[in-house]
Amino acid sequence: MTVRQIALVDVNNCYVSCERVFNPKLLNRPVVVLSNNDGCAVARSNEAKALGVKMGEPWFKLNDLAKQHGIIALSSNYALYADMSNRFMSILRRFSPDQEIYSIDESFLDFSSFSRKDLTVLAHDMRNTVLRCIGLPVSVGLGSTKTLAKLANHCAKKRPEFNGVCNFNIMDIETLDSIMMQIEVGEVWGVGRKLSQKLNDLGIMTVFDLKRADPAQLRRHFSVVMEKTIRELNGTVCIEMEEIAPPKQQIVSSRSFGMPVTTIEELGQSISLYVSRAAEKLRNQQSYAGSLHVFIHTSPFRTDQPQYSNGFTVPLPSPTDNTTRLASIAMWVLNQIYKPGYQYAKAGIMLGEIVPAAGIQNDMFSNMEPDSKSDRLMQAMDAVNKKMGKGKLIVGSQGYGQPWAMKQERKSPSYTTNWDELLKID
């Protein structure tokens, strides 16, 4: 039987690495990247981790530590990270056409048809190519299943003796089992902290323990996912490659505000902006939405202030991807749930009941006909924003200025996506 050859390629500390590519002064320095509104640490360099900075720790609590050790904090630069991710994925496609983009910094590749090649050598070639072309350090894990490839990637990243590449497929069973005995069960893909505690209570402490567990019994304790995980650890393929990501069944767009919002006008601007972003994603995957949910709430952390939260879902009379139509409905919903006298911290929308645009069927009592003029307007808006930059053409209800917008006071330039912010060498 032919052994599957699945690789997981992962960018080491993606956000920090992207920042360091364009600012070498950050190398070997403690660096953290902050969440929306510069709130919490969502990425940490190894130097910052060594100082005790925890994932999700609020930045204001780190002020003294930052001054003492010179920790550098940066706002999340989403445009930069997304563009570097696209370049990273493009380079990987040179090595295998069978690719599944798992996240912004991770990709599965199927090398099963490359059986005559030394895949360890090929993996090192991939690492060197990515580093040479875009400056990002990556780790590569190889296994006969996606779960094993993910675990091998963990070893490649954490164990220096592998030099960035760990290939489980060339190890004998005794060596592989020995490695699994040294890894906590929480490191298995899909297990995590909560499930690992429950597994520990059953006496399952390491990856090897989970591999040797009875899949049918643990399925009764947990779910079919746990059964698949155990079988994958034993080399049985249960999770196939998804070369084309399935369309999203829900699209959520929301942000915390950079300052408290009190008026319905400013809330309306934010809701309109979020609808516009979600509708653009909807059109990109060639889908229509059948329902719209709008929500607003105050900050649960400001216990000294009055608290209020509300949300409301409306079924659409006819599925649509039209920004202006969705924005109009969202404004109506906002008027139903808004209450004056509160300081709102966050708002958002969710598009649901998403269906393919092809062959859409309207309600038999609906009098809504296909609107070619409206479709052309949306196509024109998307084309202008794609060519001239996001947000160049907007619906009027989004407003201008947006003082409530997310704070990014520590953001680095958009080196690769904005002509005015290109890197300049003096």
Short mmCIF file of all heavy atoms in Angstrom, two decimals, residues 182-242:
data_model
loop_
_atom_site.label_atom_id
_atom_site.label_comp_id
_atom_site.label_asym_id
_atom_site.label_seq_id
_atom_site.Cartn_x
_atom_site.Cartn_y
_atom_site.Cartn_z
N GLN A 182 6.95 11.90 24.36
CA GLN A 182 7.52 13.11 24.94
C GLN A 182 6.66 14.35 24.70
O GLN A 182 7.00 15.44 25.15
CB GLN A 182 8.92 13.34 24.35
CG GLN A 182 9.89 12.21 24.58
CD GLN A 182 11.16 12.39 23.77
OE1 GLN A 182 11.73 13.47 23.70
NE2 GLN A 182 11.63 11.31 23.17
N ILE A 183 5.55 14.19 23.99
CA ILE A 183 4.72 15.34 23.64
C ILE A 183 3.39 15.26 24.38
O ILE A 183 2.71 14.22 24.35
CB ILE A 183 4.46 15.39 22.11
CG1 ILE A 183 5.79 15.38 21.34
CG2 ILE A 183 3.65 16.63 21.75
CD1 ILE A 183 5.62 15.29 19.84
N GLU A 184 3.01 16.34 25.03
CA GLU A 184 1.74 16.38 25.74
C GLU A 184 0.58 16.24 24.77
O GLU A 184 0.63 16.76 23.64
CB GLU A 184 1.61 17.69 26.53
CG GLU A 184 2.62 17.82 27.66
CD GLU A 184 2.44 19.13 28.42
OE1 GLU A 184 1.56 19.92 28.04
OE2 GLU A 184 3.20 19.35 29.37
N VAL A 185 -0.50 15.62 25.21
CA VAL A 185 -1.62 15.33 24.32
C VAL A 185 -2.29 16.61 23.81
O VAL A 185 -2.89 16.62 22.73
CB VAL A 185 -2.65 14.42 25.05
CG1 VAL A 185 -3.37 15.20 26.16
CG2 VAL A 185 -3.66 13.84 24.07
N GLY A 186 -2.16 17.70 24.56
CA GLY A 186 -2.77 18.95 24.12
C GLY A 186 -2.18 19.53 22.85
O GLY A 186 -2.75 20.43 22.25
N GLU A 187 -1.01 19.00 22.43
CA GLU A 187 -0.37 19.49 21.19
C GLU A 187 -0.96 18.85 19.95
O GLU A 187 -0.64 19.26 18.83
CB GLU A 187 1.13 19.22 21.23
CG GLU A 187 1.87 19.93 22.36
CD GLU A 187 1.82 21.45 22.24
OE1 GLU A 187 1.52 21.96 21.15
OE2 GLU A 187 2.09 22.13 23.25
N VAL A 188 -1.83 17.85 20.12
CA VAL A 188 -2.44 17.20 18.95
C VAL A 188 -3.45 18.15 18.32
O VAL A 188 -4.23 18.83 19.01
CB VAL A 188 -3.13 15.88 19.35
CG1 VAL A 188 -3.88 15.27 18.17
CG2 VAL A 188 -2.10 14.91 19.89
N TRP A 189 -3.45 18.19 17.01
CA TRP A 189 -4.35 19.05 16.24
C TRP A 189 -5.81 18.78 16.64
O TRP A 189 -6.28 17.66 16.57
CB TRP A 189 -4.14 18.77 14.75
CG TRP A 189 -4.90 19.62 13.80
CD1 TRP A 189 -5.30 20.92 13.98
CD2 TRP A 189 -5.34 19.25 12.49
NE1 TRP A 189 -5.94 21.38 12.86
CE2 TRP A 189 -5.99 20.37 11.93
CE3 TRP A 189 -5.25 18.09 11.74
CZ2 TRP A 189 -6.54 20.37 10.65
CZ3 TRP A 189 -5.79 18.07 10.46
CH2 TRP A 189 -6.43 19.20 9.93
N GLY A 190 -6.50 19.81 17.10
CA GLY A 190 -7.91 19.69 17.44
C GLY A 190 -8.19 19.32 18.88
O GLY A 190 -9.35 19.29 19.29
N VAL A 191 -7.13 19.03 19.67
CA VAL A 191 -7.36 18.66 21.08
C VAL A 191 -7.41 19.91 21.95
O VAL A 191 -8.43 20.25 22.54
CB VAL A 191 -6.30 17.67 21.58
CG1 VAL A 191 -6.44 17.43 23.08
CG2 VAL A 191 -6.44 16.35 20.84
N GLY A 192 -6.29 20.63 22.03
CA GLY A 192 -6.30 21.88 22.78
C GLY A 192 -6.37 21.70 24.28
O GLY A 192 -6.36 20.59 24.82
N ARG A 193 -6.47 22.84 24.98
CA ARG A 193 -6.37 22.85 26.44
C ARG A 193 -7.57 22.19 27.12
O ARG A 193 -7.43 21.40 28.04
CB ARG A 193 -6.22 24.30 26.92
CG ARG A 193 -5.95 24.42 28.41
CD ARG A 193 -5.78 25.87 28.81
NE ARG A 193 -4.71 26.49 28.05
CZ ARG A 193 -4.46 27.80 28.06
NH1 ARG A 193 -5.22 28.61 28.76
NH2 ARG A 193 -3.45 28.31 27.38
N LYS A 194 -8.79 22.52 26.68
CA LYS A 194 -9.98 22.02 27.36
C LYS A 194 -10.10 20.50 27.24
O LYS A 194 -10.32 19.79 28.23
CB LYS A 194 -11.24 22.69 26.80
CG LYS A 194 -11.37 24.15 27.20
CD LYS A 194 -12.67 24.74 26.69
CE LYS A 194 -12.81 26.19 27.12
NZ LYS A 194 -14.08 26.79 26.62
N LEU A 195 -9.95 19.99 26.02
CA LEU A 195 -10.06 18.54 25.83
C LEU A 195 -8.90 17.80 26.48
O LEU A 195 -9.07 16.68 26.96
CB LEU A 195 -10.13 18.20 24.34
CG LEU A 195 -11.46 18.43 23.63
CD1 LEU A 195 -11.35 18.02 22.17
CD2 LEU A 195 -12.57 17.64 24.31
N SER A 196 -7.72 18.43 26.50
CA SER A 196 -6.56 17.73 27.07
C SER A 196 -6.77 17.48 28.56
O SER A 196 -6.35 16.43 29.07
CB SER A 196 -5.28 18.55 26.85
OG SER A 196 -5.33 19.78 27.55
N GLN A 197 -7.43 18.39 29.26
CA GLN A 197 -7.70 18.18 30.67
C GLN A 197 -8.63 16.98 30.88
O GLN A 197 -8.43 16.15 31.78
CB GLN A 197 -8.32 19.44 31.29
CG GLN A 197 -8.56 19.35 32.79
CD GLN A 197 -7.29 19.05 33.56
OE1 GLN A 197 -6.30 19.77 33.46
NE2 GLN A 197 -7.30 17.96 34.33
N LYS A 198 -9.64 16.87 30.02
CA LYS A 198 -10.56 15.74 30.11
C LYS A 198 -9.85 14.44 29.77
O LYS A 198 -10.11 13.39 30.39
CB LYS A 198 -11.76 15.96 29.18
CG LYS A 198 -12.64 17.14 29.58
CD LYS A 198 -13.80 17.32 28.62
CE LYS A 198 -14.68 18.50 29.03
NZ LYS A 198 -15.80 18.70 28.08
N LEU A 199 -8.95 14.50 28.79
CA LEU A 199 -8.18 13.30 28.45
C LEU A 199 -7.23 12.92 29.58
O LEU A 199 -7.05 11.73 29.88
CB LEU A 199 -7.40 13.54 27.16
CG LEU A 199 -8.24 13.58 25.87
CD1 LEU A 199 -7.41 14.10 24.70
CD2 LEU A 199 -8.81 12.21 25.53
N ASN A 200 -6.64 13.93 30.22
CA ASN A 200 -5.76 13.66 31.37
C ASN A 200 -6.51 12.94 32.48
O ASN A 200 -5.97 12.04 33.13
CB ASN A 200 -5.17 14.97 31.92
CG ASN A 200 -4.17 15.62 30.98
OD1 ASN A 200 -3.81 16.78 31.16
ND2 ASN A 200 -3.72 14.90 29.96
N ASP A 201 -7.77 13.34 32.67
CA ASP A 201 -8.59 12.70 33.71
C ASP A 201 -8.82 11.22 33.40
O ASP A 201 -9.09 10.43 34.31
CB ASP A 201 -9.94 13.42 33.85
CG ASP A 201 -9.78 14.84 34.39
OD1 ASP A 201 -8.74 15.13 34.99
OD2 ASP A 201 -10.71 15.65 34.19
N LEU A 202 -8.72 10.86 32.12
CA LEU A 202 -8.88 9.46 31.71
C LEU A 202 -7.55 8.73 31.66
O LEU A 202 -7.47 7.57 31.21
CB LEU A 202 -9.56 9.38 30.35
CG LEU A 202 -11.00 9.90 30.26
CD1 LEU A 202 -11.47 9.94 28.81
CD2 LEU A 202 -11.94 9.04 31.10
N GLY A 203 -6.48 9.42 32.10
CA GLY A 203 -5.16 8.80 32.10
C GLY A 203 -4.40 8.95 30.80
O GLY A 203 -3.34 8.34 30.62
N ILE A 204 -4.92 9.75 29.88
CA ILE A 204 -4.26 9.98 28.59
C ILE A 204 -3.46 11.27 28.69
O ILE A 204 -4.02 12.37 28.62
CB ILE A 204 -5.30 10.05 27.45
CG1 ILE A 204 -6.05 8.72 27.38
CG2 ILE A 204 -4.63 10.37 26.12
CD1 ILE A 204 -7.22 8.73 26.40
N MET A 205 -2.15 11.15 28.86
CA MET A 205 -1.30 12.31 29.13
C MET A 205 -0.48 12.73 27.91
O MET A 205 -0.20 13.91 27.73
CB MET A 205 -0.34 12.00 30.28
CG MET A 205 -1.01 11.36 31.50
SD MET A 205 -2.31 12.38 32.25
CE MET A 205 -1.33 13.72 32.93
N THR A 206 -0.07 11.77 27.09
CA THR A 206 0.81 12.07 25.96
C THR A 206 0.13 11.71 24.64
O THR A 206 -0.93 11.06 24.60
CB THR A 206 2.11 11.27 26.07
OG1 THR A 206 1.82 9.87 25.89
CG2 THR A 206 2.77 11.48 27.43
N VAL A 207 0.77 12.12 23.56
CA VAL A 207 0.27 11.77 22.22
C VAL A 207 0.27 10.26 22.04
O VAL A 207 -0.65 9.69 21.45
CB VAL A 207 1.14 12.45 21.13
CG1 VAL A 207 0.65 12.04 19.74
CG2 VAL A 207 1.12 13.96 21.27
N PHE A 208 1.31 9.60 22.58
CA PHE A 208 1.37 8.14 22.48
C PHE A 208 0.19 7.49 23.19
O PHE A 208 -0.39 6.52 22.70
CB PHE A 208 2.69 7.63 23.05
CG PHE A 208 2.85 6.14 23.00
CD1 PHE A 208 3.10 5.51 21.78
CD2 PHE A 208 2.74 5.37 24.14
CE1 PHE A 208 3.24 4.13 21.71
CE2 PHE A 208 2.87 3.99 24.09
CZ PHE A 208 3.12 3.37 22.87
N ASP A 209 -0.18 8.02 24.35
CA ASP A 209 -1.34 7.49 25.07
C ASP A 209 -2.60 7.59 24.22
O ASP A 209 -3.42 6.66 24.18
CB ASP A 209 -1.55 8.26 26.38
CG ASP A 209 -0.43 8.05 27.38
OD1 ASP A 209 0.24 7.00 27.29
OD2 ASP A 209 -0.22 8.92 28.23
N LEU A 210 -2.75 8.72 23.54
CA LEU A 210 -3.94 8.91 22.71
C LEU A 210 -3.90 7.97 21.50
O LEU A 210 -4.93 7.40 21.11
CB LEU A 210 -4.02 10.37 22.23
CG LEU A 210 -5.26 10.75 21.43
CD1 LEU A 210 -6.54 10.52 22.24
CD2 LEU A 210 -5.19 12.20 20.96
N LYS A 211 -2.73 7.78 20.94
CA LYS A 211 -2.58 6.87 19.80
C LYS A 211 -3.00 5.46 20.17
O LYS A 211 -3.64 4.76 19.36
CB LYS A 211 -1.13 6.89 19.32
CG LYS A 211 -0.84 5.93 18.18
CD LYS A 211 0.64 5.93 17.82
CE LYS A 211 0.94 4.90 16.73
NZ LYS A 211 2.38 4.86 16.39
N ARG A 212 -2.69 5.04 21.40
CA ARG A 212 -2.98 3.67 21.84
C ARG A 212 -4.40 3.52 22.39
O ARG A 212 -4.83 2.41 22.73
CB ARG A 212 -1.98 3.27 22.93
CG ARG A 212 -0.55 3.18 22.46
CD ARG A 212 -0.33 2.00 21.53
NE ARG A 212 -0.62 0.73 22.21
CZ ARG A 212 0.25 0.05 22.93
NH1 ARG A 212 1.49 0.51 23.08
NH2 ARG A 212 -0.08 -1.09 23.51
N ALA A 213 -5.15 4.63 22.51
CA ALA A 213 -6.49 4.58 23.09
C ALA A 213 -7.47 3.91 22.14
O ALA A 213 -7.24 3.81 20.92
CB ALA A 213 -6.97 5.99 23.43
N ASP A 214 -8.58 3.44 22.69
CA ASP A 214 -9.65 2.79 21.90
C ASP A 214 -10.48 3.88 21.22
O ASP A 214 -11.17 4.65 21.88
CB ASP A 214 -10.53 1.97 22.83
CG ASP A 214 -11.62 1.19 22.08
OD1 ASP A 214 -11.91 1.54 20.91
OD2 ASP A 214 -12.18 0.25 22.66
N PRO A 215 -10.42 3.99 19.88
CA PRO A 215 -11.15 5.05 19.19
C PRO A 215 -12.66 5.00 19.39
O PRO A 215 -13.31 6.04 19.54
CB PRO A 215 -10.76 4.86 17.72
CG PRO A 215 -10.20 3.48 17.62
CD PRO A 215 -9.65 3.14 18.96
N ALA A 216 -13.23 3.81 19.42
CA ALA A 216 -14.68 3.68 19.60
C ALA A 216 -15.10 4.15 20.99
O ALA A 216 -16.13 4.83 21.16
CB ALA A 216 -15.12 2.24 19.37
N GLN A 217 -14.30 3.81 21.99
CA GLN A 217 -14.62 4.20 23.36
C GLN A 217 -14.53 5.72 23.52
O GLN A 217 -15.41 6.35 24.13
CB GLN A 217 -13.67 3.52 24.35
CG GLN A 217 -13.98 3.85 25.80
CD GLN A 217 -13.01 3.17 26.75
OE1 GLN A 217 -12.10 2.48 26.33
NE2 GLN A 217 -13.20 3.37 28.05
N LEU A 218 -13.48 6.33 22.97
CA LEU A 218 -13.33 7.79 23.10
C LEU A 218 -14.35 8.54 22.24
O LEU A 218 -14.69 9.67 22.54
CB LEU A 218 -11.91 8.21 22.73
CG LEU A 218 -10.84 7.90 23.78
CD1 LEU A 218 -9.59 8.72 23.53
CD2 LEU A 218 -11.33 8.13 25.20
N ARG A 219 -14.82 7.90 21.19
CA ARG A 219 -15.91 8.52 20.43
C ARG A 219 -17.15 8.67 21.31
O ARG A 219 -17.85 9.68 21.23
CB ARG A 219 -16.24 7.67 19.20
CG ARG A 219 -17.45 8.17 18.42
CD ARG A 219 -17.68 7.39 17.16
NE ARG A 219 -18.85 7.85 16.43
CZ ARG A 219 -19.12 7.55 15.17
NH1 ARG A 219 -18.29 6.78 14.48
NH2 ARG A 219 -20.20 8.01 14.59
N ARG A 220 -17.43 7.67 22.15
CA ARG A 220 -18.57 7.76 23.06
C ARG A 220 -18.36 8.84 24.11
O ARG A 220 -19.30 9.51 24.53
CB ARG A 220 -18.82 6.39 23.72
CG ARG A 220 -19.36 5.33 22.76
CD ARG A 220 -19.85 4.10 23.51
NE ARG A 220 -18.76 3.38 24.16
CZ ARG A 220 -18.05 2.42 23.58
NH1 ARG A 220 -18.31 2.07 22.31
NH2 ARG A 220 -17.09 1.79 24.24
N HIS A 221 -17.11 9.02 24.55
CA HIS A 221 -16.79 10.04 25.54
C HIS A 221 -16.84 11.45 24.93
O HIS A 221 -17.25 12.40 25.59
CB HIS A 221 -15.39 9.81 26.13
CG HIS A 221 -15.39 8.88 27.30
ND1 HIS A 221 -15.78 9.26 28.56
CD2 HIS A 221 -15.02 7.58 27.40
CE1 HIS A 221 -15.67 8.23 29.39
NE2 HIS A 221 -15.20 7.19 28.71
N PHE A 222 -16.40 11.58 23.68
CA PHE A 222 -16.23 12.89 23.07
C PHE A 222 -17.09 13.01 21.81
O PHE A 222 -18.24 13.39 21.87
CB PHE A 222 -14.75 13.16 22.78
CG PHE A 222 -13.90 13.16 24.02
CD1 PHE A 222 -13.21 12.01 24.41
CD2 PHE A 222 -13.78 14.29 24.80
CE1 PHE A 222 -12.42 12.00 25.55
CE2 PHE A 222 -13.00 14.30 25.95
CZ PHE A 222 -12.32 13.15 26.33
N SER A 223 -16.51 12.67 20.65
CA SER A 223 -17.24 12.80 19.39
C SER A 223 -16.53 11.99 18.32
O SER A 223 -15.46 11.42 18.54
CB SER A 223 -17.31 14.27 18.96
OG SER A 223 -16.02 14.73 18.59
N VAL A 224 -17.12 11.99 17.13
CA VAL A 224 -16.52 11.28 16.01
C VAL A 224 -15.18 11.93 15.62
O VAL A 224 -14.30 11.27 15.06
CB VAL A 224 -17.49 11.26 14.81
CG1 VAL A 224 -17.72 12.66 14.25
CG2 VAL A 224 -16.98 10.33 13.71
N VAL A 225 -15.03 13.23 15.91
CA VAL A 225 -13.78 13.92 15.60
C VAL A 225 -12.62 13.30 16.37
O VAL A 225 -11.52 13.11 15.83
CB VAL A 225 -13.90 15.43 15.92
CG1 VAL A 225 -12.56 16.13 15.68
CG2 VAL A 225 -14.98 16.07 15.06
N MET A 226 -12.86 12.96 17.63
CA MET A 226 -11.81 12.34 18.43
C MET A 226 -11.45 10.97 17.86
O MET A 226 -10.26 10.59 17.82
CB MET A 226 -12.26 12.20 19.88
CG MET A 226 -11.21 11.62 20.81
SD MET A 226 -9.73 12.65 20.96
CE MET A 226 -10.37 14.00 21.95
N GLU A 227 -12.44 10.22 17.41
CA GLU A 227 -12.16 8.93 16.79
C GLU A 227 -11.29 9.10 15.55
O GLU A 227 -10.31 8.36 15.35
CB GLU A 227 -13.46 8.22 16.42
CG GLU A 227 -13.24 6.87 15.76
CD GLU A 227 -14.51 6.21 15.26
OE1 GLU A 227 -15.57 6.87 15.25
OE2 GLU A 227 -14.44 5.02 14.90
N LYS A 228 -11.61 10.07 14.72
CA LYS A 228 -10.81 10.32 13.52
C LYS A 228 -9.39 10.72 13.88
O LYS A 228 -8.43 10.31 13.21
CB LYS A 228 -11.47 11.42 12.68
CG LYS A 228 -12.75 10.99 11.98
CD LYS A 228 -13.31 12.12 11.13
CE LYS A 228 -14.55 11.68 10.37
NZ LYS A 228 -15.09 12.78 9.53
N THR A 229 -9.23 11.53 14.93
CA THR A 229 -7.91 11.96 15.36
C THR A 229 -7.05 10.77 15.74
O THR A 229 -5.88 10.66 15.34
CB THR A 229 -8.02 12.93 16.56
OG1 THR A 229 -8.73 14.11 16.14
CG2 THR A 229 -6.65 13.33 17.07
N ILE A 230 -7.62 9.84 16.52
CA ILE A 230 -6.87 8.65 16.94
C ILE A 230 -6.48 7.80 15.73
O ILE A 230 -5.34 7.33 15.62
CB ILE A 230 -7.70 7.82 17.94
CG1 ILE A 230 -7.94 8.62 19.23
CG2 ILE A 230 -6.99 6.51 18.27
CD1 ILE A 230 -8.93 7.98 20.17
N ARG A 231 -7.42 7.61 14.82
CA ARG A 231 -7.12 6.79 13.64
C ARG A 231 -6.04 7.47 12.78
O ARG A 231 -5.18 6.80 12.20
CB ARG A 231 -8.39 6.54 12.83
CG ARG A 231 -9.42 5.70 13.60
CD ARG A 231 -10.54 5.20 12.72
NE ARG A 231 -11.57 4.52 13.50
CZ ARG A 231 -11.47 3.28 13.98
NH1 ARG A 231 -10.35 2.59 13.74
NH2 ARG A 231 -12.45 2.74 14.67
N GLU A 232 -6.09 8.79 12.69
CA GLU A 232 -5.06 9.50 11.92
C GLU A 232 -3.69 9.38 12.58
O GLU A 232 -2.67 9.30 11.88
CB GLU A 232 -5.46 10.98 11.76
CG GLU A 232 -6.60 11.22 10.79
CD GLU A 232 -6.21 12.15 9.67
OE1 GLU A 232 -5.35 13.04 9.86
OE2 GLU A 232 -6.75 11.97 8.56
N LEU A 233 -3.64 9.40 13.91
CA LEU A 233 -2.37 9.21 14.61
C LEU A 233 -1.79 7.84 14.33
O LEU A 233 -0.57 7.64 14.41
CB LEU A 233 -2.55 9.40 16.12
CG LEU A 233 -2.75 10.83 16.62
CD1 LEU A 233 -3.06 10.83 18.12
CD2 LEU A 233 -1.54 11.69 16.33
N ASN A 234 -2.65 6.89 13.97
CA ASN A 234 -2.21 5.53 13.63
C ASN A 234 -2.01 5.34 12.13
O ASN A 234 -1.80 4.22 11.67
CB ASN A 234 -3.20 4.51 14.16
CG ASN A 234 -3.08 4.30 15.67
OD1 ASN A 234 -2.22 3.56 16.13
ND2 ASN A 234 -3.92 4.99 16.44
N GLY A 235 -2.09 6.43 11.36
CA GLY A 235 -1.77 6.37 9.94
C GLY A 235 -2.93 6.14 9.00
O GLY A 235 -2.73 5.99 7.79
N THR A 236 -4.16 6.10 9.53
CA THR A 236 -5.34 5.92 8.67
C THR A 236 -5.89 7.29 8.27
O THR A 236 -6.23 8.10 9.15
CB THR A 236 -6.44 5.12 9.39
OG1 THR A 236 -5.93 3.85 9.76
CG2 THR A 236 -7.66 4.94 8.50
N VAL A 237 -5.99 7.54 6.99
CA VAL A 237 -6.46 8.84 6.51
C VAL A 237 -7.96 8.98 6.75
O VAL A 237 -8.76 8.20 6.22
CB VAL A 237 -6.15 9.03 5.02
CG1 VAL A 237 -6.73 10.35 4.51
CG2 VAL A 237 -4.64 8.99 4.78
N CYS A 238 -8.34 9.95 7.58
CA CYS A 238 -9.76 10.23 7.83
C CYS A 238 -10.13 11.66 7.45
O CYS A 238 -11.31 11.98 7.33
CB CYS A 238 -10.08 10.02 9.32
SG CYS A 238 -9.80 8.35 9.92
N ILE A 239 -9.15 12.51 7.28
CA ILE A 239 -9.39 13.92 6.94
C ILE A 239 -8.71 14.19 5.61
O ILE A 239 -7.47 14.24 5.53
CB ILE A 239 -8.84 14.86 8.03
CG1 ILE A 239 -9.38 14.45 9.41
CG2 ILE A 239 -9.20 16.31 7.73
CD1 ILE A 239 -8.73 15.20 10.57
N GLU A 240 -9.49 14.34 4.57
CA GLU A 240 -8.94 14.51 3.22
C GLU A 240 -8.50 15.96 2.97
O GLU A 240 -8.90 16.88 3.68
CB GLU A 240 -9.98 14.11 2.18
CG GLU A 240 -10.28 12.62 2.16
CD GLU A 240 -9.13 11.78 1.62
OE1 GLU A 240 -8.18 12.36 1.06
OE2 GLU A 240 -9.19 10.54 1.77
N MET A 241 -7.70 16.12 1.95
CA MET A 241 -7.29 17.46 1.52
C MET A 241 -8.47 18.19 0.90
O MET A 241 -9.28 17.59 0.19
CB MET A 241 -6.17 17.35 0.47
CG MET A 241 -4.87 16.78 0.98
SD MET A 241 -3.82 18.01 1.77
CE MET A 241 -3.34 19.01 0.35
N GLU A 242 -8.57 19.48 1.18
CA GLU A 242 -9.55 20.34 0.54
C GLU A 242 -8.81 21.35 -0.31
O GLU A 242 -8.32 22.36 0.18
CB GLU A 242 -10.41 21.07 1.58
CG GLU A 242 -11.34 20.17 2.37
CD GLU A 242 -12.20 20.95 3.35
OE1 GLU A 242 -12.04 22.19 3.42
OE2 GLU A 242 -13.02 20.33 4.04
#
